[in-house]
Amino acid sequence: MHLWLIPAFPLAGFLLNGIFGRRASKTFVNAVAVGAVLASFLWTLKTLGALWPLEALHLERYFTWIQAGDVRIGFDLAMDRLSAVMLLVITGVGLLIHIYSIGYMAHEGGYYRFFAYLNLFMFFMITLVLAANFLLLFVGWEGVGLCSYLLIGFWFLRSSATNAANKAFIVNRVGDFGFSIGIYLIYLHFGSLDFPEVFQAASRQPVEAGLGPLTLIGLLLAVGATGKSAQIPLYVWLPDAMEGPTPVSALIHAATMVTAGVYMVARCSAIYTHAPLAMEAVALIGLATAFLAATIGLTQFDIKKVFAYSTISQLGYMFLGAGVGAFGASIYHLWTHAFFKALLFLGAGSLIHALGEQDLRKMGGLRAKTPITFWTLLAAAVSISGVPFTAGFFSKDEILLAAYHHAPWMYWMGTLTAALTAFYVFRAIFLAFFGEPRGWSHAHESPPVMTVPLALLAVLSLIGGFAPVSRWLAPSFPAAQGHHETVLVAISVGAGLAGIALAWWFYVARPGLAERVAARLGAFYRLVYNKYFVDEIYRAALVQPVITSSQQMLWRKVDVGWIDGAVNGLAARACAAGDLLRRLQSGNLRSYAAWVLLGALGLLLTIGVAGGAR
Amino acid sequence: MDALLFLIFASIAAVCGLNVVIQRQPIASALSLIGVMGSLAVLYLLLGAQFIAAAQVIVYAGAVMVLFVMVIMLLNAGAERPTGASLVASTLGVPLLAGLFAALAYVIFAGFPEPELVRFGQFRQGGAAELGYALFTRYLLVFELTSVLVLIAIAGAVVLAWREVKR
Amino acid sequence: MSAAGVPLSWYLVLAALLFTLGAAGFIFRRNIITMFMCIELMLNAVNLTFVALAYHLRQVDGLVLAFFVMVVAAAEAAVGLAIILTVFRNRASVQIDEVQALKD
C-alpha cells in the first residue's frame, strides 16, 4: 500500500523548500508546501479506501533500523482505525491550515522557512501516528517537538519568542524523560518494542491491583503525555507557545501535536486497561487540568491566550475520557476538537491579521467589518460549547457520560467545566465582535485564501460530529460502559447554554458588570488572572535554585575549581613533559638513527624473549 | 660446489659491506656497494631466484649505483671531515649495534634450529614466468599502485632538481 | 657435489651482518651520500632475507616482495639523490652535522 509515501511527501516538500526555497518565488513555495500536504492527504484517502473497512492492523515492514545484539528495531509503519482517524485530522486540517498560511504569512519574512518547517512538522507528525513501534513513535514525538520549537521561535528576533521556544523545548524534555524511561521499561518487561507484540503480551497479563510494572509503565508514559499534551504539571509551555505565528498555534498547538499525548495513551489502551491505577491518575490529571485551565481562560484578555487555555482544558477532557476508559470518546473529541479549535485559532488569526492587535480590550464591534470571521468563529464557539447537534456536543457528552459511569463527581466537575468553557469562549466572541469599537481604526476582512479554509472548518465544526468516529473505533478498544442518559445530556447542555447566557449578560447586556464582579472578588480574581502564579512558583521552586546552584556551585566551584584546575594542571604537566622530551629533538640525524636502533632492539628482544621466536 | 660458491660470495659481500662503511671517499664506498650487490646477485641465483638476480644486476648495480656515482661526481664530494659526533650515537652506537646483531642472530637460530640445507635447483619457481604470473594476478593492484608511485617519484625528482636549475 | 649444501641460516646471518653494517654506517658516517648508500645496503640485506625465506617456503611471494622493495628503492634513490642535490646547492655541503633544520 506504500504507507511510506504519506510521510514522504511532506519530507520532500521540506527538502525542496528548505534547500531551494530561499531563491524560489512565493508561488513555487506555496505549490510545493500545499502540494505536498495535498498529496499526502489524497494518498491517505486512497490507502484508506483500499484497506477499507480496515478491521485489522495493516503492517508494513521496510528495513531494519537498529540491530544490536538481540535488539531489533525495524522501520515499520502500520495503519489501523486509530491512526487512520489521526491521519485524516493531521493531513486534512493540516491542508486547510497550509492554505490559510499563504494568506496569513504573505507579508512576513522567512516565508519559505515557515513552510519548510510546517512540512517538516507534517512529516514527523505522520511518522508519529504511523509508527509501528515505540522507538519510531519516539522519533516522531521528538521531531514534532523540534518543529514546535522552531516555529514558536519563528520570529527569533523577538526575545519573548525565543524564550517561549526554549521553555516549550525544556518543559517537554521533562516529559520526554519520563516517556523514554517508560520505553526502556517496556522493553525490559516485554522484550520488544513492536506494538502488536507488546499489546498482545499486555492483554494476556492480569489486571494489576496495586503498583506493578504495567502501572509503572503507564504512569511514565503519562508523564510523557502530560509534557506533549500540556497537562498538569507540565502545561506551562503551551500559553507561551502562542508567541509563534497563529497558523502554527492552530496546527501544532491546537489540532495535532498536542493531541499526540492523547493518541499515545489511546494507543497504549491495552497497557492502561490492565493498570487501573495509572488510568485513574490519567483521569484525575485530565479533570484537574480541564477545570483549572478553564478558570484561567475566564480572565485572560489576549485572545490567543484564551484559546490556548481552552486547548489545555479540552485536552484535559480527552485525558479524562481516556482515564475513565472511554478511549473511543477521547479520540472522538480529539477529532471534533481539531476542527473547532483550529477554527478558533484561525479566526483569531484572521482578527489579528485585520487589526494587528490581539488584546480583546482593544477590539469590539467587529461584527460588521469582518462578517465571515465572525460567523465562522461563532460556529466554532457553539461547537465547543456543546450546543446540541454541533460537533462538540456529541464528543463531549460521550466523555461526560463515561465519566458519570466511572464516578459521578467527575461528571459534575466536567459539566461545570463545560459551563466555564462556554462562558470564556463567548466572552471572547462578545468582547471582539459586539459592543463599541475600542481603539482600532482600519479593520478589513481577510482575503479569500484565508476565509475559505475558515468556512470549510466552520462546516466541519458544525457537522463533523455526525462522523461515527467513536463507534468506528469501538472494536479497537475495550468496550466503554455508559449508555445514553437523556437527563445527564440535558444537564450538560444546559450548563453550556447557561455559560453562553451568562457571557451575554456580562459582556453585552450589562457591559461593565464584569469589572465590578472582578473587583468584588479581589484577591481571588487576581490569583486566577495571574494563572495561579504557577509560572512564578515554578520559577522560585525549580528554575531559580537551578540557576543559583549552577552559578555558585557548578560554575564557581566545580567548573572553575575542579574542571578548569584539572585541565590547566594537565596542560602544565604536558608542558613540563614536553620540555623534558624536547632534548630528544636534537636535529642530529645520527642520534635519531641511534634511537630508532634502540627501539628496534627493544622490539626484537620483546619478540625473542616474551613472545618466543616461534 | 654450493658451499664453495656461497662461502666465496658471502665473504666478498661481507668484506665489501665493511668497506662501504669504513672508506672515507664516497666513490670508494659506492664501488664497494656495487661489489656487495653483485655478490648478492650470485647468492640469489643460488637460492633459485633467477629473475631477482637479474633485476639486482640491472636495476641496482646498474641503474641505481650509476645514479649514485653520477651524483658523487656532480657534487665533487671529497673525503668527509670529522666533525662533532653525536653524544647518543658515539656512546650507545657500538653496544647497540652489537646487541642488534646478537639479537638478530638469536632470533634466526631460534627460528631455524634444524639446519635446512640450501641446494641449487631445488626451488624452481623463481623464473620470470612464475614471478610475472604472480605479479599480474594476485599482486596486480599493488603492482599498478607501484607504477603510480614510481611516476610520482620521477615527477618529484624532476621538480626538486628543476627548481635549482632555474635559479 | 651438489649434496654439500649450505644451511639456510647462514644466508640469514649474512643478511643480519650486512644489515648491522649498514646501520653502523648510517650512525657513524657523516657524509649524506655515504649514509644513503648505507640505507641501500640495509635494503639489500632485507632483500636477501626475503629471497632466502622464499626458498624456505618454496613460494614466489617472497620474491614478489623483494621485487617491490627494489622498485621502491629505485624510486627512493631518485628522490633522495634529488634532495641531496638540493641540499648541496643550498648549503654547499653534504655533511650531515651541518644539516640540522629538523630541530627548528
Side-chain angles (χ1 to χ4, degrees), chain A residues 495-513:
Chain A
L497 293 176
I500 298 175
L502 205 61
W504 173 267
W505 177 258
F506 265 55
Y507 293 100
V508 181
R510 295 282 172 83
L513 182 62

Side-chain angles (χ1 to χ4, degrees), chain A residues 9 24 77 88 133 136 178 195 259 366 437 470 520 531 539 551:
Chain A
F9 286 123
L77 299 181
L88 286 177
N133 58 52
L136 199 55
F195 287 152
T259 60
L366 281 165
S470 117
R520 182 77 59 81
K531 306 149 197 165
R539 175 150 203 92
Q551 275 182 347

Side-chain angles (χ1 to χ4, degrees), chain A residues 103-158:
Chain A
Y104 189 83
M105 299 301 287
H107 312 299
E108 299 291 343
Y111 191 76
Y112 77 97
R113 195 160 54 88
F114 180 79
F115 279 99
Y117 288 166
L118 272 194
N119 273 357
L120 183 65
F121 167 77
M122 296 297 284
F123 164 70
F124 278 125
M125 192 69 206
I126 292 168
T127 309
L128 194 161
V129 295
L130 279 179
N133 58 52
F134 277 98
L135 210 59
L136 199 55
L137 184 146
F138 195 61
V139 169
W141 187 271
E142 290 301 314
V144 292
L146 168 72
C147 296
S148 162
Y149 164 81
L150 289 173
L151 283 164
I152 295 169
F154 180 74
W155 288 308
F156 52 79
L157 291 179
R158 291 210 309 237

